[in-house]
Amino acid sequence: MSACVPTRATDSHQNRTKRAPQPHSPPPPPPRRFRIAGADVSASIAVFLIALPLSLGIALATGAPLQAGLVAAAAGGLVAGRLGGCPLQVSGPAAGLTVVTADLIHRYGWRTTCAVTVLAGLAQLALGCLRVARTALAVSPAIVHGMLAGIGVTIAVAQLHIVLGGTPQSSVLANLRALPAQLADVHPADVAMSVLTLALLLLWPRVPGRLGHLMRKIPAALVAVAGATLTASLAGLSLAKVDLPSWSSHALAGLPEGPALGIAAAVLTTTLVCSVQSLLGAVAVDKLVAGQPGLSARVGRSDLNRELLGQGAANIVSGALGGLPVAGVAVRSSANVQAGAVSRNSTMLHGVLVVVAALLMVPVLELIPLASLAALVMAVGIQMVSLNHIRTVTRHREVLVYVVTTLGVVFLGVLEGVLLGVTVAVAVALNRLAHTRITHDEKEGVHHVHVRGQLTFLAVPRLSRTLHHVPQGTHVVVELDGSFMDHAAYESLQDWQNSHTARGGTAELTGRRTGVRDTGPDHTGIEAVLADTATGTTIGATSGTTTAAPARTTADAPTGGPTTSTVCRCHPWTPWRNHQCDHRRSTPAGGHPAEQTDQPADRPAPGTAEPSSPGTGPHPGTGTHPGAGPNPGADTGTHPGTGTHPGTGTPTGTGTPRSGTGTGTAGSQLARGISAFQRDTAPLVRGELARLAKEGQRPSQLFLTCADSRLVTSMITSSGPGDLFVVRNVGNLVPPSGEESGDDSVAAAIEYAVDVLRVRSITVCGHSGCGAMQALLNSEPGGTQTPLKRWLRHGVPSLERMADDGRPWARLAGRAPADAVEQLCLTNVVQQLEHLRGHESVARALREGALELHGMYFHVGEAQAYLLTEADGGGLFDGVGVADMSA
């Protein structure tokens, strides 16, 4: 490595950054020609192959003309695809609307049903203009899942008659009553084609090996219907098949005929189901897109109000042309994203293909057995009763709402079932608000008062009575396990707190998001419990709120040591800041309280030490931050008030040195942290960790990053136990495979993650102010080969890549790198990904399509993550913002 490389890199950086777009320059003009990406073309074909049989099957299930399903699929693809706010959502006839539409056709006829569809579209346009899309998502998930489950049961029971060769009745009860007679009159040909369809539908996605991976590119629904059609044609079976009359005789919408109140209820029901299903589908698509970093930067987040407008326009067009109601369809939307769609062109092109098929493929479509379509729709109905949804509502104690909604939809109708579910949900919420369980017990001299439920004025008498039975002068732990506390309960708890501490007792108040400790008279602790409990959210660990008796004097203290009463004022996120609390009161050996400080909660008081920064500077304990360098905001001087590192110097308020062996400041902090984990966090995660211990780890990705203490991988990725297989080293380096004197530990971790754990992705994450990259830039040739220098030789290719004029530089979207260190940090991520591809296990998994590689850069000072979106050439890192996340 030449000593002139850093200078060369800096000069080159100054020249090359001129080519980067300026932050405030106008965006480039859009291309003049209309172009469709190849990924959109392939995705549209995949979606079309799924939509064609499903559209015919849903039309069959509703009793509508079969062309109506094709009209709705075309209108959903072209109109909703062009005007909607979720570019990758595919709309068309949905199974969730089957029961509603079938009931309308039975009551009012087909032409009036089309008119209801048009009116529902107008209602959706009005709702979109009023911008109430987000309000629609306020419906309890238990109600939505129950509604879909009820619709699924209704579909499955009705289609079972067609599978058996019969005709479905008008209601679930009628279908159930007619089932024994239908079982006595089974048509073998229909049953055979239905069984074949279901078998192909079930087994096709489960074909193992590389052949199975290739076969799964063809949708199972298409294979199932095509297989049954081909078998019926070759065997010459006599059974009912698709009948598509001439388009010249296709019935269009007419004026609604029927009672005004009934028509209004039908419009309301259709609008409700179409809107809720479409909006929930858009949110689900956002989650799928967020899982693909490159796609999320290109597509962005859905505009739900615009999506409502697009769905309304599609329903108007579909109803006017004699089509079924239109809504967002989860199966087709997920297939669209997974097939690689990058814009709304895939959705629109799928609509074009449906139109072409409806006009030119009629002879082929008329070969499809109706029993095969019925089996396909019956399978969709069964899948709508999701076990995952049932587990979710059970975990949230909303089974009653789910069951009532499901049964209401099955036996009464969609609108009636939803209204019944809303009524039960409100009753359950009021019951939870009014019923609070308060218990009191004693364990090892500590009194525990557990309050489960919402703490309102209704529970104040019982709370006061329970607290009154707690003996004076004892230690009490009050556990507030709820998400709401009103003012009456707050005052009652505060009054008891004043009285109990005045009589020499201690009280520890723990809530669901508490994180403030106080021993002073201002009672910030109870206020923090109130503030955090009112949020109604849980972040995992519970710090607790402590209110203690006045500080002890030397007469109370053990002989020969100081007595310190530490006051912690951490906010919930300050544990990520190394517990830099505001120590309000400390009592030295003399027994007199030290002067209280009034430092902000996020800065240490004078005489305490800040956390050190990782890097390449002096060893901890020398009075300076290691790795002082270009990191913005880094402290390069001594610790305020001390000049020594915690655990190695002299603590404030005493003249007795402490060693760093666990009995000093650092050791006490470690012990306090472990104790807090065992008390607060361990009970919350013990069940999950027990499951992981039993089942073994199944991480989804390998996360390779720097050993820098400021990078908390679980925090910046919002992950938990069992999610990430993490490898950390200085500089997030990946030694090239097979290199002499290479590091086998990194290679072994990669091999284990890919071949044994079967991770689906590997992420290499660099960060700003990396001490390893700074040391690489500042290194001189020759000299003593320390372990650090020998390790950093794996970063030399990154330095050479940055200095190569023939290669474009890695860059950030929207701005140029701040300096040569940041430029090298970005380049190093790209280079280490190249090293990663050279490992045999990684190369093999990439060839098989079983693995993805991702690059990531985290700017510590800005708390901003960037993902590598363009790996060609130098690489472009695009920022991830709130707008890129799902709702």
Side-chain angles (χ1 to χ4, degrees):
M1 185 192 325
S2 172
C4 66
V5 170
T7 306
R8 158 73 181 80
T10 304
D11 296 340
S12 178
H13 169 71
Q14 293 173 354
N15 295 329
R16 294 191 185 208
T17 51
K18 295 178 181 178
R19 300 184 305 187
Q22 297 300 321
H24 302 290
S25 61
R32 295 179 181 273
R33 291 189 304 168
F34 176 73
R35 300 178 61 184
I36 300 179
D40 283 333
V41 175
S42 60
S44 67
I45 295 174
V47 174
F48 161 72
L49 295 178
I50 296 174
L52 188 63
L54 280 177
S55 299
L56 293 172
I58 291 171
L60 173 67
T62 60
L66 295 185
Q67 295 103 318
L70 301 177
V71 171
L78 292 171
V79 180
R82 179 64 185 89
L83 302 178
C86 183
L88 300 187
Q89 174 160 258
V90 181
S91 301
L97 291 161
T98 302
V99 176
V100 177
T101 310
D103 183 62
L104 290 178
I105 295 174
H106 177 73
R107 290 188 181 187
Y108 304 113
W110 172 241
R111 294 171 66 88
T112 298
T113 301
C114 293
V116 169
T117 302
V118 173
L119 294 175
L122 292 172
Q124 286 181 300
L125 288 180
L127 293 175
C129 293
L130 294 174
R131 307 186 66 81
V132 297
R134 289 283 171 188
T135 306
L137 296 179
V139 180
S140 169
I143 297 175
V144 176
H145 298 330
M147 178 189 73
L148 295 177
I151 292 173
V153 170
T154 306
I155 292 173
V157 173
Q159 296 310 297
L160 181 59
H161 284 268
I162 301 179
V163 166
L164 297 175
T167 303
Q169 305 300 314
S170 59
S171 66
V172 175
L173 289 175
N175 281 320
L176 291 175
R177 284 194 295 264
L179 192 57
Q182 185 63 62
L183 290 173
D185 186 23
V186 172
H187 293 66
D190 292 281
V191 174
M193 291 304 97
S194 299
V195 171
L196 177 60
T197 302
L198 293 174
L200 289 173
L201 199 63
L202 180 65
L203 299 177
W204 186 261
R206 291 169 172 78
V207 178
R210 189 171 183 178
L211 178 62
H213 178 73
L214 294 175
M215 293 171 59
R216 282 191 290 274
K217 294 184 181 295
I218 305 176
L222 177 67
V223 173
V225 173
T229 302
L230 184 61
T231 302
S233 300
L234 294 178
L237 298 179
S238 176
L239 68 173
K241 296 181 180 179
V242 169
D243 182 19
L244 293 174
S246 171
W247 285 102
S248 60
S249 60
H250 179 64
L252 303 179
L255 293 176
E257 298 178 0
L261 190 58
I263 297 296
V267 172
L268 176 62
T269 304
T270 306
T271 303
L272 171 68
V273 178
C274 287
S275 302
V276 171
Q277 183 165 341
S278 299
L279 294 177
L280 292 176
V283 172
V285 170
D286 280 348
K287 294 180 180 179
L288 292 175
V289 171
Q292 304 183 27
L295 185 61
S296 63
R298 181 167 183 172
V299 175
R301 189 176 175 182
S302 299
D303 183 342
L304 297 184
N305 290 301
R306 178 179 172 181
E307 179 65 19
L308 207 53
L309 294 172
Q311 295 292 334
N315 273 312
I316 293 173
V317 172
S318 179
L321 296 179
L324 293 171
V326 171
V329 186
V331 175
R332 295 171 223 176
S333 301
S334 60
N336 193 35
V337 176
Q338 293 167 2
V342 295
S343 71
R344 63 178 70 246
N345 292 334
S346 64
T347 304
M348 297 172 62
L349 189 55
H350 126 270
V352 173
L353 294 176
V354 171
V355 173
V356 172
L359 296 177
L360 303 180
M361 293 178 60
V362 172
V364 177
L365 297 178
E366 289 185 335
L367 297 176
I368 300 175
L370 292 182
S372 177
L373 292 178
L376 176 65
V377 177
M378 185 177 72
V380 173
I382 294 173
Q383 291 172 355
M384 293 174 70
V385 186
S386 171
L387 293 178
N388 185 43
H389 291 164
I390 295 175
R391 283 192 292 265
T392 300
V393 298
T394 301
R395 188 167 59 250
H396 292 282
R397 296 182 298 164
E398 293 185 325
V399 176
L400 180 62
V401 178
Y402 179 88
V403 171
V404 168
T405 305
T406 301
L407 296 178
V409 170
V410 169
F411 295 108
L412 301 177
V414 175
L415 183 60
E416 294 83 353
V418 170
L419 292 177
L420 194 59
V422 170
T423 303
V424 174
V426 172
V428 169
L430 292 176
N431 178 71
R432 290 177 180 174
L433 189 63
H435 287 74
T436 305
R437 183 182 178 186
I438 303 175
T439 59
H440 170 221
D441 59 356
E442 180 184 357
K443 296 179 181 178
E444 299 178 356
V446 178
H447 292 262
H448 295 266
V449 177
H450 187 198
V451 181
R452 181 176 181 179
Q454 319 314 321
L455 197 53
T456 66
F457 67 94
L458 299 174
V460 167
R462 283 181 292 142
L463 176 65
S464 300
R465 186 163 54 249
T466 302
L467 294 175
H468 179 72
H469 290 119
V470 175
Q472 298 179 3
T474 58
H475 179 62
V476 186
V477 177
V478 180
E479 303 173 16
L480 304 177
D481 186 10
S483 59
F484 177 77
M485 181 197 301
D486 69 4
H487 190 70
Y490 160 72
E491 284 194 345
S492 175
L493 202 53
Q494 188 182 50
D495 291 342
W496 169 83
Q497 177 189 28
N498 295 337
S499 174
H500 189 72
T501 55
R503 289 172 172 81
T506 60
E508 183 178 345
L509 295 156
T510 64
R512 301 189 70 177
R513 274 195 62 193
T514 58
V516 180
R517 296 179 181 271
D518 184 27
T519 58
D522 56 352
H523 306 296
T524 307
I526 180 61
E527 293 171 2
V529 175
L530 172 62
D532 288 329
T533 303
T535 62
T537 54
T538 305
I539 61 172
T542 308
S543 301
T545 302
T546 301
T547 303
R552 296 183 298 176
T553 62
T554 51
D556 304 310
T559 306
T563 301
T564 304
S565 177
T566 304
V567 182
C568 176
R569 291 179 175 271
C570 291
H571 292 288
W573 46 267
T574 51
W576 298 336
R577 303 184 63 179
N578 207 13
H579 302 281
Q580 293 306 299
C581 311
D582 177 9
H583 299 279
R584 285 275 176 156
R585 177 183 301 173
S586 67
T587 306
H592 301 287
E595 181 181 356
Q596 293 187 5
T597 61
D598 194 19
Q599 298 290 332
D602 57 352
R603 290 187 58 189
T608 62
E610 294 180 341
S612 60
S613 303
T616 59
H619 189 275
T622 59
T624 61
H625 281 294
N631 181 26
D635 187 351
T636 58
T638 59
H639 295 296
T642 62
T644 58
H645 193 275
T648 60
T650 305
T652 306
T654 70
T656 306
R658 293 180 179 177
S659 66
T661 59
T663 58
T665 306
S668 299
Q669 179 177 317
L670 176 63
R672 286 197 304 269
I674 297 174
S675 176
F677 167 80
Q678 293 299 146
R679 181 186 69 245
D680 301 322
T681 309
L684 300 176
V685 300
R686 186 170 288 118
E688 176 67 9
L689 292 179
R691 183 187 67 81
L692 291 172
K694 179 181 179 181
E695 299 177 1
Q697 61 169 330
R698 297 176 184 174
S700 60
Q701 62 176 297
L702 166 62
F703 198 87
L704 196 150
T705 188
C706 185
D708 193 302
S709 63
R710 297 166 295 180
L711 261 69
V712 184
T713 56
S714 59
M715 180 179 72
I716 63 178
T717 60
S718 297
S719 56
D723 292 339
L724 301 180
F725 187 70
V726 182
V727 175
R728 306 188 71 151
N729 59 51
V730 176
N732 47 277
L733 301 178
V734 180
S737 178
E739 181 174 306
E740 285 294 326
S741 302
D743 184 276
D744 285 340
S745 66
V746 178
I750 294 171
E751 180 182 347
Y752 184 78
V754 175
D755 293 342
V756 180
L757 298 178
R758 302 288 183 182
V759 297
R760 296 188 297 273
S761 69
I762 302 179
T763 301
V764 177
C765 177
H767 68 97
S768 62
C770 181
M773 296 300 103
Q774 182 184 353
L776 200 57
L777 278 173
N778 296 336
S779 61
E780 298 289 343
T784 305
Q785 287 297 307
T786 64
L788 179 60
K789 285 187 177 181
R790 286 196 299 271
W791 170 254
L792 289 181
R793 76 184 186 279
H794 301 303
V796 172
S798 302
L799 197 61
E800 294 172 347
R801 185 189 189 100
M802 189 176 76
D804 187 356
D805 279 329
R807 291 186 176 185
W809 276 12
R811 60 203 186 279
L812 294 170
R815 70 172 178 87
D819 50 28
V821 175
E822 185 169 51
Q823 182 65 69
L824 183 56
C825 292
L826 297 171
T827 305
N828 182 58
V829 172
V830 180
Q831 183 63 37
Q832 300 311 314
L833 286 173
E834 282 196 11
H835 290 178
L836 200 56
R837 293 185 184 94
H839 285 258
E840 180 182 354
S841 57
V842 175
R844 181 175 61 254
L846 289 174
R847 287 194 302 269
E848 296 173 354
L851 184 67
E852 296 179 352
L853 300 184
H854 301 287
M856 177 177 170
Y857 174 74
F858 185 74
H859 195 290
V860 178
E862 298 174 356
Q864 175 64 55
Y866 297 83
L867 289 172
L868 180 63
T869 58
E870 296 179 13
D872 297 337
L876 174 65
F877 288 81
D878 200 358
V880 179
V882 177
D884 299 322
M885 298 296 100
S886 60

